[in-house]
PDB file of all heavy atoms in Angstrom:
ATOM      1  N   THR A   1      61.212  19.168   0.285  1.00 97.00           N
ATOM      2  CA  THR A   1      60.499  19.138   1.540  1.00 97.00           C
ATOM      3  C   THR A   1      61.498  19.273   2.704  1.00 97.00           C
ATOM      4  O   THR A   1      62.504  18.534   2.800  1.00 97.00           O
ATOM      5  CB  THR A   1      59.678  17.794   1.726  1.00 97.00           C
ATOM      6  OG1 THR A   1      58.673  17.757   0.693  1.00 97.00           O
ATOM      7  CG2 THR A   1      59.092  17.648   3.075  1.00 97.00           C
ATOM      8  N   ALA A   2      61.255  20.221   3.567  1.00 98.00           N
ATOM      9  CA  ALA A   2      62.205  20.523   4.642  1.00 98.00           C
ATOM     10  C   ALA A   2      61.600  21.672   5.466  1.00 98.00           C
ATOM     11  O   ALA A   2      60.688  22.281   5.113  1.00 98.00           O
ATOM     12  CB  ALA A   2      63.557  20.870   4.156  1.00 98.00           C
ATOM     13  N   VAL A   3      62.217  21.929   6.670  1.00 98.00           N
ATOM     14  CA  VAL A   3      62.002  23.247   7.382  1.00 98.00           C
ATOM     15  C   VAL A   3      62.953  24.208   6.862  1.00 98.00           C
ATOM     16  O   VAL A   3      64.196  23.907   6.758  1.00 98.00           O
ATOM     17  CB  VAL A   3      62.168  23.027   8.832  1.00 98.00           C
ATOM     18  CG1 VAL A   3      62.026  24.324   9.572  1.00 98.00           C
ATOM     19  CG2 VAL A   3      61.124  21.953   9.352  1.00 98.00           C
ATOM     20  N   TYR A   4      62.514  25.285   6.407  1.00 98.00           N
ATOM     21  CA  TYR A   4      63.361  26.286   5.894  1.00 98.00           C
ATOM     22  C   TYR A   4      63.640  27.463   6.824  1.00 98.00           C
ATOM     23  O   TYR A   4      62.668  27.991   7.530  1.00 98.00           O
ATOM     24  CB  TYR A   4      62.712  26.954   4.535  1.00 98.00           C
ATOM     25  CG  TYR A   4      62.875  26.036   3.386  1.00 98.00           C
ATOM     26  CD1 TYR A   4      62.093  24.901   3.334  1.00 98.00           C
ATOM     27  CD2 TYR A   4      63.654  26.351   2.290  1.00 98.00           C
ATOM     28  CE1 TYR A   4      62.162  24.068   2.224  1.00 98.00           C
ATOM     29  CE2 TYR A   4      63.760  25.562   1.269  1.00 98.00           C
ATOM     30  CZ  TYR A   4      62.985  24.315   1.178  1.00 98.00           C
ATOM     31  OH  TYR A   4      63.215  23.557   0.129  1.00 98.00           O
ATOM     32  N   TYR A   5      64.911  27.794   6.978  1.00 98.00           N
ATOM     33  CA  TYR A   5      65.327  28.782   7.944  1.00 98.00           C
ATOM     34  C   TYR A   5      65.914  30.051   7.283  1.00 98.00           C
ATOM     35  O   TYR A   5      66.702  29.846   6.393  1.00 98.00           O
ATOM     36  CB  TYR A   5      66.298  28.246   8.924  1.00 98.00           C
ATOM     37  CG  TYR A   5      65.813  27.072   9.841  1.00 98.00           C
ATOM     38  CD1 TYR A   5      65.928  25.803   9.448  1.00 98.00           C
ATOM     39  CD2 TYR A   5      65.189  27.361  11.054  1.00 98.00           C
ATOM     40  CE1 TYR A   5      65.483  24.728  10.180  1.00 98.00           C
ATOM     41  CE2 TYR A   5      64.798  26.360  11.859  1.00 98.00           C
ATOM     42  CZ  TYR A   5      64.889  25.000  11.426  1.00 98.00           C
ATOM     43  OH  TYR A   5      64.462  24.013  12.221  1.00 98.00           O
ATOM     44  N   CYS A   6      65.597  31.200   7.871  1.00 97.00           N
ATOM     45  CA  CYS A   6      66.264  32.458   7.454  1.00 97.00           C
ATOM     46  C   CYS A   6      67.446  32.714   8.445  1.00 97.00           C
ATOM     47  O   CYS A   6      67.235  32.539   9.613  1.00 97.00           O
ATOM     48  CB  CYS A   6      65.220  33.503   7.392  1.00 97.00           C
ATOM     49  SG  CYS A   6      65.815  35.227   7.007  1.00 97.00           S
ATOM     50  N   ALA A   7      68.527  33.273   7.942  1.00 96.00           N
ATOM     51  CA  ALA A   7      69.663  33.667   8.808  1.00 96.00           C
ATOM     52  C   ALA A   7      70.226  34.968   8.400  1.00 96.00           C
ATOM     53  O   ALA A   7      70.125  35.368   7.247  1.00 96.00           O
ATOM     54  CB  ALA A   7      70.653  32.522   8.733  1.00 96.00           C
ATOM     55  N   ALA A   8      70.844  35.669   9.375  1.00 95.00           N
ATOM     56  CA  ALA A   8      71.431  36.966   9.087  1.00 95.00           C
ATOM     57  C   ALA A   8      72.808  37.059   9.727  1.00 95.00           C
ATOM     58  O   ALA A   8      73.018  36.528  10.770  1.00 95.00           O
ATOM     59  CB  ALA A   8      70.588  38.073   9.674  1.00 95.00           C
ATOM     60  N   ARG A   9      73.748  37.673   8.945  1.00 93.00           N
ATOM     61  CA  ARG A   9      75.097  37.850   9.480  1.00 93.00           C
ATOM     62  C   ARG A   9      75.335  39.366   9.623  1.00 93.00           C
ATOM     63  O   ARG A   9      74.997  40.095   8.710  1.00 93.00           O
ATOM     64  CB  ARG A   9      76.203  37.334   8.449  1.00 93.00           C
ATOM     65  CG  ARG A   9      77.613  37.559   8.865  1.00 93.00           C
ATOM     66  CD  ARG A   9      78.574  36.894   7.940  1.00 93.00           C
ATOM     67  NE  ARG A   9      79.890  37.378   8.145  1.00 93.00           N
ATOM     68  CZ  ARG A   9      80.701  36.803   9.001  1.00 93.00           C
ATOM     69  NH1 ARG A   9      80.397  35.703   9.666  1.00 93.00           N
ATOM     70  NH2 ARG A   9      82.001  37.216   9.162  1.00 93.00           N
ATOM     71  N   ARG A  10      75.864  39.819  10.753  1.00 86.00           N
ATOM     72  CA  ARG A  10      75.980  41.207  11.118  1.00 86.00           C
ATOM     73  C   ARG A  10      77.114  42.013  10.400  1.00 86.00           C
ATOM     74  O   ARG A  10      77.110  43.173  10.461  1.00 86.00           O
ATOM     75  CB  ARG A  10      76.026  41.398  12.583  1.00 86.00           C
ATOM     76  CG  ARG A  10      77.313  40.747  13.194  1.00 86.00           C
ATOM     77  CD  ARG A  10      77.153  40.728  14.721  1.00 86.00           C
ATOM     78  NE  ARG A  10      78.228  40.030  15.363  1.00 86.00           N
ATOM     79  CZ  ARG A  10      78.331  39.705  16.606  1.00 86.00           C
ATOM     80  NH1 ARG A  10      77.412  40.094  17.449  1.00 86.00           N
ATOM     81  NH2 ARG A  10      79.398  39.099  17.139  1.00 86.00           N
ATOM     82  N   SER A  11      77.989  41.315   9.811  1.00 77.00           N
ATOM     83  CA  SER A  11      79.132  41.955   9.210  1.00 77.00           C
ATOM     84  C   SER A  11      79.540  41.201   7.894  1.00 77.00           C
ATOM     85  O   SER A  11      79.153  39.998   7.730  1.00 77.00           O
ATOM     86  CB  SER A  11      80.322  42.112  10.135  1.00 77.00           C
ATOM     87  OG  SER A  11      80.846  40.854  10.560  1.00 77.00           O
ATOM     88  N   GLY A  12      80.275  41.785   7.131  1.00 76.00           N
ATOM     89  CA  GLY A  12      80.781  41.149   5.843  1.00 76.00           C
ATOM     90  C   GLY A  12      80.237  42.005   4.610  1.00 76.00           C
ATOM     91  O   GLY A  12      79.185  42.737   4.729  1.00 76.00           O
ATOM     92  N   VAL A  13      80.881  41.719   3.548  1.00 81.00           N
ATOM     93  CA  VAL A  13      80.508  42.518   2.345  1.00 81.00           C
ATOM     94  C   VAL A  13      79.934  41.624   1.149  1.00 81.00           C
ATOM     95  O   VAL A  13      79.446  42.192   0.184  1.00 81.00           O
ATOM     96  CB  VAL A  13      81.666  43.382   1.744  1.00 81.00           C
ATOM     97  CG1 VAL A  13      82.244  44.327   2.843  1.00 81.00           C
ATOM     98  CG2 VAL A  13      82.858  42.394   1.453  1.00 81.00           C
ATOM     99  N   GLY A  14      79.972  40.316   1.375  1.00 92.00           N
ATOM    100  CA  GLY A  14      79.346  39.452   0.333  1.00 92.00           C
ATOM    101  C   GLY A  14      78.305  38.549   0.898  1.00 92.00           C
ATOM    102  O   GLY A  14      77.500  39.019   1.616  1.00 92.00           O
ATOM    103  N   TYR A  15      78.203  37.408   0.366  1.00 94.00           N
ATOM    104  CA  TYR A  15      77.356  36.384   0.807  1.00 94.00           C
ATOM    105  C   TYR A  15      78.105  35.246   1.476  1.00 94.00           C
ATOM    106  O   TYR A  15      79.244  35.074   1.311  1.00 94.00           O
ATOM    107  CB  TYR A  15      76.423  35.836  -0.319  1.00 94.00           C
ATOM    108  CG  TYR A  15      77.237  35.166  -1.450  1.00 94.00           C
ATOM    109  CD1 TYR A  15      77.713  33.969  -1.396  1.00 94.00           C
ATOM    110  CD2 TYR A  15      77.206  35.890  -2.693  1.00 94.00           C
ATOM    111  CE1 TYR A  15      78.416  33.389  -2.392  1.00 94.00           C
ATOM    112  CE2 TYR A  15      77.951  35.236  -3.770  1.00 94.00           C
ATOM    113  CZ  TYR A  15      78.476  34.002  -3.648  1.00 94.00           C
ATOM    114  OH  TYR A  15      79.107  33.511  -4.667  1.00 94.00           O
ATOM    115  N   TYR A  16      77.414  34.408   2.288  1.00 94.00           N
ATOM    116  CA  TYR A  16      78.026  33.366   3.075  1.00 94.00           C
ATOM    117  C   TYR A  16      77.192  32.104   2.931  1.00 94.00           C
ATOM    118  O   TYR A  16      75.989  32.118   2.999  1.00 94.00           O
ATOM    119  CB  TYR A  16      78.082  33.771   4.479  1.00 94.00           C
ATOM    120  CG  TYR A  16      78.961  35.052   4.739  1.00 94.00           C
ATOM    121  CD1 TYR A  16      78.408  36.331   4.561  1.00 94.00           C
ATOM    122  CD2 TYR A  16      80.325  34.977   4.893  1.00 94.00           C
ATOM    123  CE1 TYR A  16      79.143  37.429   4.755  1.00 94.00           C
ATOM    124  CE2 TYR A  16      81.082  36.034   5.028  1.00 94.00           C
ATOM    125  CZ  TYR A  16      80.516  37.297   4.933  1.00 94.00           C
ATOM    126  OH  TYR A  16      81.316  38.503   4.996  1.00 94.00           O
ATOM    127  N   THR A  17      77.875  31.001   2.664  1.00 95.00           N
ATOM    128  CA  THR A  17      77.216  29.668   2.455  1.00 95.00           C
ATOM    129  C   THR A  17      77.360  28.775   3.638  1.00 95.00           C
ATOM    130  O   THR A  17      76.688  27.693   3.636  1.00 95.00           O
ATOM    131  CB  THR A  17      77.712  29.084   1.225  1.00 95.00           C
ATOM    132  OG1 THR A  17      79.160  28.829   1.288  1.00 95.00           O
ATOM    133  CG2 THR A  17      77.439  29.937  -0.040  1.00 95.00           C
ATOM    134  N   ASP A  18      78.201  29.052   4.604  1.00 94.00           N
ATOM    135  CA  ASP A  18      78.409  28.204   5.790  1.00 94.00           C
ATOM    136  C   ASP A  18      77.503  28.736   6.886  1.00 94.00           C
ATOM    137  O   ASP A  18      77.475  29.928   7.254  1.00 94.00           O
ATOM    138  CB  ASP A  18      79.868  28.274   6.237  1.00 94.00           C
ATOM    139  CG  ASP A  18      80.210  27.279   7.321  1.00 94.00           C
ATOM    140  OD1 ASP A  18      79.281  26.886   8.058  1.00 94.00           O
ATOM    141  OD2 ASP A  18      81.436  26.957   7.446  1.00 94.00           O
ATOM    142  N   ASP A  19      76.709  27.786   7.474  1.00 94.00           N
ATOM    143  CA  ASP A  19      75.750  28.211   8.563  1.00 94.00           C
ATOM    144  C   ASP A  19      76.486  28.813   9.778  1.00 94.00           C
ATOM    145  O   ASP A  19      75.958  29.550  10.556  1.00 94.00           O
ATOM    146  CB  ASP A  19      74.838  27.121   8.994  1.00 94.00           C
ATOM    147  CG  ASP A  19      75.492  25.813   9.460  1.00 94.00           C
ATOM    148  OD1 ASP A  19      76.800  25.785   9.467  1.00 94.00           O
ATOM    149  OD2 ASP A  19      74.820  24.890   9.764  1.00 94.00           O
ATOM    150  N   GLY A  20      77.791  28.388  10.006  1.00 94.00           N
ATOM    151  CA  GLY A  20      78.563  28.892  11.098  1.00 94.00           C
ATOM    152  C   GLY A  20      78.923  30.355  11.050  1.00 94.00           C
ATOM    153  O   GLY A  20      79.312  30.970  11.955  1.00 94.00           O
ATOM    154  N   HIS A  21      78.700  30.992   9.835  1.00 94.00           N
ATOM    155  CA  HIS A  21      79.041  32.383   9.649  1.00 94.00           C
ATOM    156  C   HIS A  21      77.803  33.297  10.057  1.00 94.00           C
ATOM    157  O   HIS A  21      77.922  34.402   9.943  1.00 94.00           O
ATOM    158  CB  HIS A  21      79.375  32.596   8.166  1.00 94.00           C
ATOM    159  CG  HIS A  21      80.704  32.100   7.796  1.00 94.00           C
ATOM    160  ND1 HIS A  21      81.076  31.807   6.516  1.00 94.00           N
ATOM    161  CD2 HIS A  21      81.797  31.855   8.440  1.00 94.00           C
ATOM    162  CE1 HIS A  21      82.292  31.369   6.411  1.00 94.00           C
ATOM    163  NE2 HIS A  21      82.783  31.380   7.667  1.00 94.00           N
ATOM    164  N   TYR A  22      76.708  32.745  10.422  1.00 95.00           N
ATOM    165  CA  TYR A  22      75.518  33.531  10.632  1.00 95.00           C
ATOM    166  C   TYR A  22      75.309  33.737  12.141  1.00 95.00           C
ATOM    167  O   TYR A  22      75.586  32.842  12.949  1.00 95.00           O
ATOM    168  CB  TYR A  22      74.278  32.853   9.943  1.00 95.00           C
ATOM    169  CG  TYR A  22      74.328  33.082   8.512  1.00 95.00           C
ATOM    170  CD1 TYR A  22      74.918  32.195   7.664  1.00 95.00           C
ATOM    171  CD2 TYR A  22      73.679  34.151   7.882  1.00 95.00           C
ATOM    172  CE1 TYR A  22      75.000  32.337   6.274  1.00 95.00           C
ATOM    173  CE2 TYR A  22      73.732  34.450   6.565  1.00 95.00           C
ATOM    174  CZ  TYR A  22      74.455  33.460   5.675  1.00 95.00           C
ATOM    175  OH  TYR A  22      74.415  33.605   4.304  1.00 95.00           O
ATOM    176  N   ASP A  23      74.755  34.902  12.507  1.00 93.00           N
ATOM    177  CA  ASP A  23      74.605  35.332  13.900  1.00 93.00           C
ATOM    178  C   ASP A  23      73.212  35.149  14.427  1.00 93.00           C
ATOM    179  O   ASP A  23      73.008  34.918  15.601  1.00 93.00           O
ATOM    180  CB  ASP A  23      75.035  36.758  14.026  1.00 93.00           C
ATOM    181  CG  ASP A  23      76.432  37.019  13.649  1.00 93.00           C
ATOM    182  OD1 ASP A  23      77.386  36.389  14.234  1.00 93.00           O
ATOM    183  OD2 ASP A  23      76.696  37.779  12.690  1.00 93.00           O
ATOM    184  N   TYR A  24      72.210  35.346  13.518  1.00 94.00           N
ATOM    185  CA  TYR A  24      70.801  35.313  13.990  1.00 94.00           C
ATOM    186  C   TYR A  24      69.998  34.319  13.089  1.00 94.00           C
ATOM    187  O   TYR A  24      70.266  34.162  11.885  1.00 94.00           O
ATOM    188  CB  TYR A  24      70.196  36.687  13.881  1.00 94.00           C
ATOM    189  CG  TYR A  24      70.985  37.709  14.600  1.00 94.00           C
ATOM    190  CD1 TYR A  24      71.798  38.653  13.915  1.00 94.00           C
ATOM    191  CD2 TYR A  24      70.947  37.829  16.003  1.00 94.00           C
ATOM    192  CE1 TYR A  24      72.540  39.532  14.547  1.00 94.00           C
ATOM    193  CE2 TYR A  24      71.733  38.831  16.656  1.00 94.00           C
ATOM    194  CZ  TYR A  24      72.475  39.687  15.896  1.00 94.00           C
ATOM    195  OH  TYR A  24      73.179  40.602  16.643  1.00 94.00           O
ATOM    196  N   TRP A  25      69.033  33.632  13.717  1.00 96.00           N
ATOM    197  CA  TRP A  25      68.254  32.610  12.972  1.00 96.00           C
ATOM    198  C   TRP A  25      66.822  32.813  13.303  1.00 96.00           C
ATOM    199  O   TRP A  25      66.415  33.144  14.381  1.00 96.00           O
ATOM    200  CB  TRP A  25      68.648  31.187  13.357  1.00 96.00           C
ATOM    201  CG  TRP A  25      70.074  30.900  12.877  1.00 96.00           C
ATOM    202  CD1 TRP A  25      71.267  31.156  13.528  1.00 96.00           C
ATOM    203  CD2 TRP A  25      70.455  30.138  11.644  1.00 96.00           C
ATOM    204  NE1 TRP A  25      72.226  30.714  12.757  1.00 96.00           N
ATOM    205  CE2 TRP A  25      71.798  30.070  11.650  1.00 96.00           C
ATOM    206  CE3 TRP A  25      69.622  29.604  10.665  1.00 96.00           C
ATOM    207  CZ2 TRP A  25      72.418  29.453  10.648  1.00 96.00           C
ATOM    208  CZ3 TRP A  25      70.267  29.018   9.657  1.00 96.00           C
ATOM    209  CH2 TRP A  25      71.693  28.936   9.612  1.00 96.00           C
ATOM    210  N   GLY A  26      65.953  32.533  12.258  1.00 97.00           N
ATOM    211  CA  GLY A  26      64.405  32.493  12.513  1.00 97.00           C
ATOM    212  C   GLY A  26      64.077  31.088  13.050  1.00 97.00           C
ATOM    213  O   GLY A  26      64.869  30.279  13.248  1.00 97.00           O
ATOM    214  N   GLN A  27      62.782  30.975  13.310  1.00 97.00           N
ATOM    215  CA  GLN A  27      62.245  29.847  13.951  1.00 97.00           C
ATOM    216  C   GLN A  27      62.008  28.641  12.926  1.00 97.00           C
ATOM    217  O   GLN A  27      61.766  27.508  13.296  1.00 97.00           O
ATOM    218  CB  GLN A  27      60.967  30.144  14.676  1.00 97.00           C
ATOM    219  CG  GLN A  27      59.681  30.180  13.786  1.00 97.00           C
ATOM    220  CD  GLN A  27      59.578  31.271  12.961  1.00 97.00           C
ATOM    221  OE1 GLN A  27      60.369  32.298  12.975  1.00 97.00           O
ATOM    222  NE2 GLN A  27      58.603  31.193  11.932  1.00 97.00           N
ATOM    223  N   GLY A  28      61.957  28.992  11.642  1.00 97.00           N
ATOM    224  CA  GLY A  28      61.730  28.021  10.570  1.00 97.00           C
ATOM    225  C   GLY A  28      60.314  27.936  10.088  1.00 97.00           C
ATOM    226  O   GLY A  28      59.409  28.229  10.899  1.00 97.00           O
ATOM    227  N   THR A  29      60.128  27.625   8.863  1.00 98.00           N
ATOM    228  CA  THR A  29      58.783  27.366   8.330  1.00 98.00           C
ATOM    229  C   THR A  29      58.783  26.076   7.533  1.00 98.00           C
ATOM    230  O   THR A  29      59.708  25.837   6.752  1.00 98.00           O
ATOM    231  CB  THR A  29      58.316  28.567   7.515  1.00 98.00           C
ATOM    232  OG1 THR A  29      56.985  28.405   7.113  1.00 98.00           O
ATOM    233  CG2 THR A  29      59.191  28.815   6.307  1.00 98.00           C
ATOM    234  N   GLN A  30      57.803  25.246   7.676  1.00 98.00           N
ATOM    235  CA  GLN A  30      57.713  23.933   7.077  1.00 98.00           C
ATOM    236  C   GLN A  30      57.225  24.041   5.619  1.00 98.00           C
ATOM    237  O   GLN A  30      56.267  24.679   5.318  1.00 98.00           O
ATOM    238  CB  GLN A  30      56.759  23.002   7.732  1.00 98.00           C
ATOM    239  CG  GLN A  30      56.618  21.620   7.098  1.00 98.00           C
ATOM    240  CD  GLN A  30      57.831  20.723   7.216  1.00 98.00           C
ATOM    241  OE1 GLN A  30      58.454  20.671   8.345  1.00 98.00           O
ATOM    242  NE2 GLN A  30      58.277  20.116   6.150  1.00 98.00           N
ATOM    243  N   VAL A  31      57.978  23.383   4.671  1.00 98.00           N
ATOM    244  CA  VAL A  31      57.562  23.322   3.290  1.00 98.00           C
ATOM    245  C   VAL A  31      57.428  21.783   2.968  1.00 98.00           C
ATOM    246  O   VAL A  31      58.392  21.072   3.207  1.00 98.00           O
ATOM    247  CB  VAL A  31      58.585  23.952   2.365  1.00 98.00           C
ATOM    248  CG1 VAL A  31      58.330  23.640   0.901  1.00 98.00           C
ATOM    249  CG2 VAL A  31      58.616  25.460   2.566  1.00 98.00           C
ATOM    250  N   THR A  32      56.297  21.368   2.504  1.00 98.00           N
ATOM    251  CA  THR A  32      56.108  20.013   2.140  1.00 98.00           C
ATOM    252  C   THR A  32      55.590  19.930   0.704  1.00 98.00           C
ATOM    253  O   THR A  32      54.601  20.615   0.320  1.00 98.00           O
ATOM    254  CB  THR A  32      55.000  19.379   3.051  1.00 98.00           C
ATOM    255  OG1 THR A  32      55.440  19.495   4.414  1.00 98.00           O
ATOM    256  CG2 THR A  32      54.823  17.912   2.676  1.00 98.00           C
TER     257      THR A  32
END
C-alpha cells in the first residue's frame, strides 16, 4: 500500500535506482 510514482531520466544508458537521478515525475496513483 502506497502512492506509486512514475519517473523519467533524460540521459543515460542503463537503469537508475536513486530518485535523485530522475528529471521528471508523475502526480502519483494510490494503491491500497
